[in-house]
Amino acid sequence: MGNNNHRLSGIKKWGFKKSPWVFHLSTGSCNNCDIEILDAVTPRFDLERFGILLVGTPRHADILLVTGVVTVQALPRLLHVYEQAAKPCMVVAIGACACSCGIFDGGYHVVGPVDKIIPVDVYIPGCPPKPEAIISGVVKALAKL
Amino acid sequence: MRTTIPIGPYHPLLEEPELFRVVVEGEKIVDIDWRTSWNHRSIEKLAESKTYDQVIFLVERVCGICSTSHPIAFCNAVEDLANIEIPERARYIRSIVAELERIHSHLLWFGLAGHYIGYHTVWMWAWRYRELVCNLFEQISGNRQSYAMMKIGGTRQDIKEEDYSRILKTMDELEPKVNMFIGAVLDDPVLLARLKGVGKLSKEDAIKWCTVGPVARSAGIDVDIRRDYPYAAYDRVDWKVIVQEDGDVLAMAVVRLLEILESIKIIRQCVEKMPQGPIAVEVPEIPPGEGIGVEEAPRGECFHYVRSDGTNCPARLKIRAPSYVNIPCFRSRFIGERVADIIIILASVDPCYCCTNRMMRIDDGTGERTLTEKDLLKLSWEKTERIKNKFKGCSRSKLLE
C-alpha cells in the first residue's frame, strides 16, 4: 500500500504539528504495546509535554496508533475507525505484530498486518517497542508533514 | 424503562477491545452481558505448529502483562510431562522474575484503578514507581516487558551477582512507596466511602463462579497456587497468603497492595538464599504423554495442559487464563449497583482481556445479528438481482400483465 499524501500548509500544518492528538486502537495485540503507549504518557516519558494527547474517539484524532495483528473480528472495526478519523490522519503501526504479523503469522483468525488493510505512515518495530521508540516514531510521523 | 448501555469494543476506558452490554433501569444495573474475541490470535492452534522452545515465546505473548506467568506454567507442564527436575538456582530465578512481575502488574492495576475513580495523581505516581521495576527488568533480562527468561529445564538467562545489589536497592526504594499507597487508601475517607461495599462478592458466589487469585482471596477464600502446589522456590522462602473477608472493591485493592509487600519479602529472601550452580539442565527428547502446569499469575491461577505425541511439537496445548474465570463473576456483582460504579467494578478483577479471547465466533446460536449499512445494501441488491433473474427472458408486454 502506498503512503498517504499529507500536504498541509500554513496554520493547519502548525496546528497539526504542535498538538497532534492520538487515538489508540488495539486490533489484536497482547497488551504489551498498549501498556507501553500508556507508559509513554505517564511521568517518566510524559508525551503530553509535546502537546500529544490520548483522546477517546477517532473523530478527534490526528494520529491512529494501531497495535497488534488484524483479526477477522477486528477488521470491520478497524475500517470503521479509520473512516471516522478526520483526514489527514496519520497511521502508526506499533509493534512487530502490527508491522508484519510477528509470531502470530499463519493463525486462522489473523487477516494480516495493518498495512494490508489501511495505509500506514510509520512502522515502529519491536516486541514491544520501548516508549522511547514510540516517541521517536510519532516524531518521525510529524516530520513527514 | 430499560436502557442498554454498550461499553466497547473500542472505548476510551478500555485499552483492549471488549464489549459489555449493561442493562439499566434508571441508575440501577439490572443485567450485564459480555462479548469477546476481538483479540483472539489462535495461539493454541499455532502452538501445534511450533517446537517446544518456540512455544515459550508464543505463550509469552498470550498477555503482555503476565508475560512470565504463561511461560512458567508451560515449562511446568512440559517438565511434568518429561519428568525434568530443574536446578535449584533456576527455581530462585523463576521466583524472582515472577514476583517482580507481580509487583509491576499490581502497581499498574492500582494506577489504573485510581484513574478510573478520578484520582489521577494515584495513576501517575503508581506508574512512576512501576518504572523502577521496568528498569530492573531491562537490566536483568534486556527487555522491559516480555523478558524471555524461561526455558524448559531451567532459565534462559542468569541473574548476575552484580545485579543482586540493584535488585535489593530497588526493593528498598519501592517498599516505603507501597506503604505510602496502603496508608493513602486505608486512611482516605473519600476512598473508603467510594469503594467500601461496592461490587460485593460473597464467599458463596466466589466459589460458585469459580473465581481465582486476588478476587477469590478478597472474598475470604484462602487459595494460592504458590502455597498449594509449590513450584519454583516458593516452598523455600517464608511468606504468607493475603486474605480479606469483604469481597468488595476495597478488599480487592487491599489484597493487591499487601501482596506487593509479600512479593518484596519473597524477592529479598530469594536474592539472599540464591544458590550457586547451573541455571538449566539438558532436556531429553519429550516422550509421548500429558502434562499439567499451574502458576499463580498476578491475576490468579494460570493453567496449561500439554499433550505430546513424541514429536518436537506439542500435539495439543490448552491454556486457561485467570481472567477468563474471574470475569463471569460480574453477573453477581453488578446487579443492583449504580451506573457510576460500572467502571471501577469492571476494573476491580484486574481483567486482562487478551488472555480471555478464546474463540472465533461463527454462529453464537442466539440468532442475534447486527446489520450495518453495508449489509442492508447487500440485502437490497440481492433482492433486486433475484427479481431480475426471475424475469430474465420475459418480454416487456408479459411483464406488464
Side-chain angles (χ1 to χ4, degrees):
Chain A
M1 282 282 235
N3 284 348
N4 289 351
N5 191 16
H6 309 290
R7 283 276 162 248
L8 287 175
S9 59
I11 192 155
K12 273 190 195 161
K13 185 171 173 183
W14 179 81
F16 198 119
K17 269 195 152 173
K18 290 293 172 187
S19 178
W21 286 8
V22 298
F23 178 73
H24 162 226
L25 179 76
S26 156
T27 53
S29 65
C30 72
N31 226 345
N32 247 340
C33 305
D34 315 309
I35 294 295
E36 293 294 51
I37 291 173
L38 277 187
D39 234 11
V41 300
T42 51
R44 185 168 166 211
F45 300 100
D46 200 10
L47 264 186
E48 286 187 18
R49 69 201 148 125
F50 302 121
I52 298 176
L53 187 68
L54 212 54
V55 291
T57 158
R59 291 179 208 276
H60 296 165
D62 301 311
I63 299 181
L64 291 183
L65 306 177
V66 188
T67 58
V69 291
V70 181
T71 61
V72 173
Q73 201 170 329
L75 173 66
R77 301 279 173 170
L78 171 65
L79 288 172
H80 198 55
V81 166
Y82 185 67
E83 279 163 15
Q84 281 181 343
K87 304 291 177 308
C89 164
M90 293 259 180
V91 179
V92 180
I94 294 182
C97 303
C99 295
S100 69
C101 277
I103 199 165
F104 301 116
D105 195 15
Y108 57 81
H109 203 232
V110 173
V111 179
V114 176
D115 63 359
K116 201 176 160 191
I117 317 296
I118 56 175
V120 173
D121 294 286
V122 175
Y123 299 84
I124 306 176
C127 189
K130 297 198 163 88
E132 293 96 325
I134 295 176
I135 296 171
S136 141
V138 173
V139 168
K140 276 185 184 151
L142 294 178
K144 284 183 81 177
L145 284 169
Chain B
M1 192 188 72
R2 288 192 168 200
T3 317
T4 308
I5 308 177
I7 305 176
Y10 291 99
H11 193 271
L13 280 171
L14 314 165
E15 63 194 58
E16 299 156 86
E18 200 63 33
L19 175 60
F20 285 97
R21 285 193 196 126
V22 187
V23 184
V24 294
E25 265 174 16
E27 268 278 291
K28 215 173 96 192
I29 300 166
V30 291
D31 201 4
I32 183 163
D33 194 8
W34 172 48
R35 290 280 182 280
T36 178
S37 276
W38 278 271
N39 265 9
H40 177 56
R41 284 147 287 149
S42 40
I43 288 176
E44 290 180 0
K45 186 73 191 163
L46 279 174
E48 292 166 18
S49 64
K50 296 201 184 318
T51 63
Y52 285 100
D53 282 336
Q54 291 171 330
V55 172
I56 297 173
F57 295 103
L58 185 67
V59 292
E60 194 163 26
R61 281 151 186 84
V62 170
C63 164
I65 308 176
C66 327
S67 59
T68 209
S69 303
H70 285 282
I72 291 183
F74 177 75
C75 290
N76 281 346
V78 178
E79 283 152 14
D80 174 39
L81 192 164
N83 277 325
I84 300 168
E85 187 63 37
I86 67 168
E88 200 66 5
R89 190 176 171 84
R91 285 178 176 271
Y92 281 84
I93 296 176
R94 279 188 184 183
S95 278
I96 291 176
V97 176
E99 290 312 304
L100 281 175
E101 181 187 79
R102 196 178 315 278
I103 295 175
H104 110 79
S105 171
H106 284 347
L107 279 177
L108 182 149
W109 173 83
F110 183 64
L112 283 180
H115 170 60
Y116 291 150
I117 56 170
Y119 278 58
H120 302 290
T121 323
V122 171
W123 181 29
M124 292 297 163
W125 279 40
W127 280 57
R128 187 181 152 199
Y129 296 124
R130 181 180 159 267
E131 285 295 319
L132 295 174
V133 185
C134 289
N135 283 350
L136 198 56
F137 269 131
E138 200 167 353
Q139 181 166 2
I140 58 183
S141 75
N143 208 358
R144 288 160 51 88
Q145 285 167 14
S146 296
Y147 330 108
M149 290 284 278
M150 297 309 145
K151 178 182 168 185
I152 296 163
T155 58
R156 195 172 294 279
Q157 292 177 61
D158 200 357
I159 295 181
K160 293 184 202 71
E161 276 188 35
E162 54 263 36
D163 291 342
Y164 292 178
S165 60
R166 171 83 182 263
I167 296 175
L168 293 174
K169 203 179 133 224
T170 309
M171 292 303 117
D172 291 342
E173 249 175 281
L174 211 56
E175 196 174 14
K177 307 297 175 202
V178 178
N179 279 324
M180 179 191 75
F181 285 138
I182 294 173
V185 170
L186 295 180
D187 293 344
D188 190 338
V190 178
L191 271 186
L192 287 182
R194 184 77 176 73
L195 303 181
K196 194 143 183 66
V198 171
K200 228 169 147 44
L201 179 70
S202 66
K203 194 169 178 178
E204 295 74 48
D205 279 341
I207 294 170
K208 200 175 90 190
W209 292 102
C210 306
T211 55
V212 292
V215 179
R217 288 198 285 277
S218 71
I221 301 172
D222 191 3
V223 57
D224 195 315
I225 301 299
R226 290 174 288 172
R227 183 200 57 201
D228 302 338
Y229 301 96
Y231 58 94
Y234 291 111
D235 49 351
R236 291 154 172 79
V237 289
D238 172 43
W239 61 285
K240 62 176 194 293
V241 178
I242 308 289
V243 181
Q244 294 274 316
E245 297 300 324
D246 291 342
D248 53 4
V249 177
L250 184 71
M252 291 182 192
V254 171
V255 164
R256 292 201 177 91
L257 284 170
L258 292 178
E259 269 184 15
I260 299 181
L261 290 181
E262 288 303 311
S263 296
I264 293 177
K265 220 163 101 186
I266 296 175
I267 292 170
R268 281 197 180 127
Q269 293 178 53
C270 283
V271 172
E272 274 164 25
K273 289 186 183 171
M274 180 97 90
Q276 295 297 330
I279 54 164
V281 289
E282 191 75 19
V283 179
E285 291 281 308
I286 309 285
E290 294 176 314
I292 280 173
V294 282
E295 206 267 355
E296 181 76 20
R299 284 154 190 75
E301 176 195 353
C302 173
F303 171 91
H304 280 229
Y305 161 84
V306 178
R307 195 173 72 226
S308 160
D309 53 3
T311 58
N312 62 348
C313 301
R316 173 84 174 97
L317 168 66
K318 163 79 192 132
I319 303 171
R320 195 183 98 155
S323 295
Y324 194 65
V325 279
N326 278 341
I327 288 175
C329 81
F330 284 154
R331 200 130 191 150
S332 73
R333 297 177 63 206
F334 264 101
I335 292 166
E337 295 291 342
R338 304 278 147 185
V339 174
D341 292 327
I342 290 177
I343 194 64
I344 188 63
I345 304 177
L346 278 187
S348 67
V349 304
D350 197 0
C352 172
Y353 301 115
C354 301
C355 298
T356 60
N357 289 270
R358 314 296 310 148
M359 75 287 191
M360 179 174 182
R361 195 177 73 177
I362 296 166
D363 181 7
D364 61 1
T366 60
E368 190 184 307
R369 261 185 84 191
T370 313
L371 294 179
T372 60
E373 192 190 336
K374 255 185 204 158
D375 296 328
L376 291 173
L377 273 177
K378 199 171 154 230
L379 285 177
S380 169
W381 292 343
E382 278 171 5
K383 187 168 181 187
T384 314
E385 205 58 36
R386 276 201 305 276
I387 295 174
K388 269 188 193 163
N389 286 340
K390 200 169 154 192
F391 293 131
K392 218 176 224 172
C394 295
S395 65
R396 186 181 158 80
S397 57
K398 203 174 175 190
L399 284 182
L400 288 175
E401 274 168 15

